Amino acid sequence: MDNFWNDLSVKCASLPHLLAFLKETEAEDLLLLLDQARKIKKRKNPKLPPINADFYDIQGLLPEDDRKLLADVRQFMLTEVQPIANEYWGKAEFPFQIISGLKKLNIAGLTFDKSVGGLGRSYLLEGMIGEEIARTDTSICTFWGVHSGLAMNSIDLCGSDEQRQKFLPPMISMDKIGAFGLTEPDVGSAASMGLKTTCKRDGDTWTINGQKKWIGNATFADYIIIWAKDAADHQVKGFIVDRETPGLTTEKIEHKLSLRTVQNALITLKDCKVKEERRLQKANSFKDTALVLRKTRAGVAWQAVGCAKGAYENTLAYTMKREQFGRPIAGFQMTQDMLAQMLSQLTAMQCMVVRLSQLQDLGKISDEQASLAKILCTVNCRQITSMSRELMGGNGILLSNNVGRFLADAEALYSYEGTKQINSLVVGRAITGMSAFT
């Protein structure tokens, strides 16, 4: 085709030559030439559609007030977080200046009862807000999820009414920040049976000894939920511990490759004294801890959707601008095939977590349903972020192109709050009736 156009330009080098060519050319051939010219013009100057990762209009399920709050969250993330996200991720620091803006959004404790300062909103809205935050910065979503999800739900589900009234209102307003200490240096997936951190009661005081690892927010949180095995009955108990309590020290974990903005810490508890009034009064075994994990596992699935969504959107925008062989790479068949695959996986993830949140709103969610969503969404998130990097070529590993960060963060989402293998065993037990844990 290129040779044809070169020959044509020679034949039509002047007006007389052009007129002669047109006179000699059949009408059918002229129409064909016109069609080819239109296609070339369209290819060089395409009318680009808006980037839309909500292909099935999932947000349309929300009432107008909820969509307004979601739009406010998006605006905050785009204006306050996106411009600094790569910088803070790169230097592994937390941007504390954004907390005041998060306070104004009033998105901590969205689903909590109004009697403790919550808003009584839906889990569907909460999930979409998590997706929206992760779409810009998965680290900030993890900070929010640890505080509003793990820490606050521990108190809401396992605390007494007095504890809920005392601790939740300042956490909902984000005047106090929470952390959640379950994982240990030598205990991850086996937390239900193998916690090495111990607690021993003497009168109205408990003494806690042990270590916790990978604890998000722990370097600056006001309250840290510590889970420990009771030396008396060997059951898991939970405690609301002030970070400044004597005997508790935190050490920031350095040199991470994922969620670098999150301030993870190694916590050491050495003869740490905690009053009985700080023990979560309804946490009497790991079954109670599992209630918290069930609720927050759904949140991790939503985070994975947001992480994948951010990678897809940035990649699609890149392919529309990046030119090779004289035109945008978005116009190539293989590129469009990969983009369609990414969008189909993302849309399937969105539909799954929407139904999961609907079940949560109905009070019908089960452990296996939450685990299945966590499996699918984090696996697909890894695949989508990997394809995003591939479509960008070498440029995909640059933070400035806003995909490398999502690719790295997807690895942490894949593992925390239950690995794929552990969640598969939860699902497997439900569908076969046989436990393969031991």
Side-chain angles (χ1 to χ4, degrees), residues 249-302:
T249 58
T250 62
E251 177 187 349
K252 179 183 173 182
I253 297 174
E254 303 282 4
H255 312 302
K256 296 187 301 174
L257 296 177
S258 185
L259 296 178
R260 288 174 54 79
T261 306
V262 178
Q263 303 299 290
N264 295 97
L266 173 69
I267 299 176
T268 299
L269 301 116
K270 188 172 182 180
D271 293 330
C272 183
K273 307 292 185 183
V274 181
K275 293 293 184 181
E276 164 65 11
E277 65 186 29
R278 288 295 191 97
R279 181 180 66 83
L280 293 171
Q281 298 298 303
K282 296 180 182 178
N284 298 307
S285 73
F286 191 82
K287 288 182 179 179
D288 299 311
T289 316
L291 295 176
V292 180
L293 297 176
R294 178 195 296 173
K295 290 188 72 171
T296 56
R297 194 161 285 155
V300 178
W302 275 104

Side-chain angles (χ1 to χ4, degrees), residues 77-78 80-95 97-98 134-140 259-262 310-311 314 392 395-409:
M77 294 303 294
L78 290 177
E80 303 299 323
V81 178
Q82 184 168 288
I84 62 172
N86 289 331
E87 175 192 352
Y88 279 86
W89 193 94
K91 60 187 183 181
E93 295 179 5
F94 187 85
Q97 67 271 25
I98 71 168
R135 170 184 173 269
T136 297
D137 193 336
T138 313
S139 288
I140 300 304
L259 296 178
R260 288 174 54 79
T261 306
V262 178
N314 280 285
M392 285 192 176
N395 288 333
I397 67 172
L398 295 174
L399 278 179
S400 57
N401 283 319
N402 297 315
V403 158
R405 179 162 48 83
F406 290 114
L407 176 68
D409 290 348

Side-chain angles (χ1 to χ4, degrees), residues 321-391:
K321 295 177 182 177
R322 174 72 170 176
E323 291 194 1
Q324 292 291 288
F325 307 105
R327 61 193 176 105
I329 63 173
F332 296 138
Q333 290 180 359
M334 286 188 290
T335 300
Q336 292 189 2
D337 178 66
M338 291 181 71
L339 289 170
Q341 183 181 342
M342 293 161 69
L343 182 59
S344 65
Q345 288 179 270
L346 175 60
T347 304
M349 294 159 66
Q350 289 172 325
C351 292
M352 188 178 204
V353 291
V354 162
R355 183 54 185 157
L356 187 69
S357 289
Q358 289 173 338
L359 289 170
Q360 217 169 352
D361 283 322
L362 293 169
K364 294 182 177 180
I365 190 174
S366 66
D367 288 334
E368 54 268 22
Q369 288 168 335
S371 289
L372 188 64
K374 208 271 182 177
I375 292 168
L376 178 86
C377 292
T378 55
V379 167
N380 281 0
C381 181
R382 287 176 98 198
Q383 293 174 351
I384 290 170
T385 54
S386 177
M387 285 190 283
S388 290
R389 207 290 307 158
E390 184 177 353
L391 278 171

